[in-house]
């Protein structure tokens, strides 16, 4: 693969992670609103697998049901991701990153912060790169005071 193509793949995959964080932190639509999930197939494959301490889900429909059942509009988040490593091998890439998630309520400062190790498998599809698997591993958790 040429260097420009390799860099383009890495850029698209890094952008995919940023889009995921923006989706998670966008509170313009309720977690119960179907419109919130309308374009999730732009981030994930339909047969995606997601693992977290809250369980493992298989497929985009299960992921949507899982997120919907574990999310509340009374609590918001801000995801900050760094140290992204992307290893592209043809039409697949292994991706790892560190993420700090701040939890807050509308019009209040953060009350909790967590550190996560995120691992993803991204695959090239006819429509671009998508996340085929996700694994979130908590590293630490600390309450915050205002």
């Amino acid at each position: 693969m040429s260097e420009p193509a390799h860099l383009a793949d890495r850029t698209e995959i890094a952008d995919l992670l940023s889009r995921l964080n923006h989706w998670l932190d966008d509170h313009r639509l309720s977690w119960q609103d179907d419109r919130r999930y309308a374009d999730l197939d732009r981030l994930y494959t339909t047969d995606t697998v997601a693992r977290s301490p809250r369980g493992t889900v298989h497929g985009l429909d299960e992921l949507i049901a899982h997120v919907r059942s574990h999310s509340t509009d009374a609590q918001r988040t801000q995801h900050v991701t760094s140290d992204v490593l992307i290893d592209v091998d043809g039409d697949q890439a292994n991706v790892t990153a560190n993420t700090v998630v701040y939890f807050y309520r509308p019009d209040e400062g953060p009350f909790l912060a967590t550190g996560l190790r995120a691992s993803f498998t991204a695959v090239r599809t006819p429509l671009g790169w998508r996340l085929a698997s996700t694994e979130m591993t908590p590293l630490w958790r600390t309450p915050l005071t205002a």
Side-chain angles (χ1 to χ4, degrees):
M1 175 179 293
S2 70
E3 187 63 21
H6 181 72
L7 291 175
D9 287 340
R10 291 173 51 83
T11 300
E12 187 177 343
I13 294 165
D15 187 62
L16 190 59
L17 297 186
S18 294
R19 289 181 186 283
L20 174 60
N21 283 353
H22 281 259
W23 180 81
L24 289 166
D25 297 338
D26 183 355
H27 300 287
R28 292 175 293 175
L29 292 174
S30 168
W31 289 105
Q32 304 310 313
D33 190 326
D34 288 339
R35 292 175 298 170
R36 183 178 186 89
Y37 305 95
D39 294 329
L40 210 52
D41 61 349
R42 295 180 70 198
L43 300 175
Y44 291 99
T45 61
T46 57
D47 61 348
T48 192
V49 176
R51 293 175 182 85
S52 76
R54 291 183 174 172
T56 299
V57 296
H58 297 84
L60 192 54
D61 290 339
E62 276 189 29
L63 177 63
I64 290 169
H66 181 79
V67 170
R68 191 185 304 259
S69 70
H70 286 90
S71 300
T72 173
D73 295 324
Q75 180 174 284
R76 297 182 178 181
T77 58
Q78 181 181 25
H79 290 70
V80 181
T81 298
S82 66
D83 305 324
V84 177
L85 293 176
I86 302 169
D87 294 315
V88 178
D89 185 10
D91 291 338
Q92 183 171 312
N94 293 315
V95 183
T96 58
N98 292 314
T99 299
V100 175
V101 183
Y102 295 97
F103 295 85
Y104 67 98
R105 292 177 190 89
D107 301 321
E108 294 180 21
F111 63 87
L112 177 68
T114 62
L116 306 171
R117 180 69 163 183
S119 298
F120 305 93
T121 301
V123 295
R124 186 190 321 270
T125 74
L127 299 173
W129 287 90
R130 300 293 187 266
L131 299 174
S133 71
T134 303
E135 184 165 357
M136 296 295 171
T137 305
L139 300 175
W140 54 266
R141 177 184 176 120
T142 187
L144 303 173
T145 56

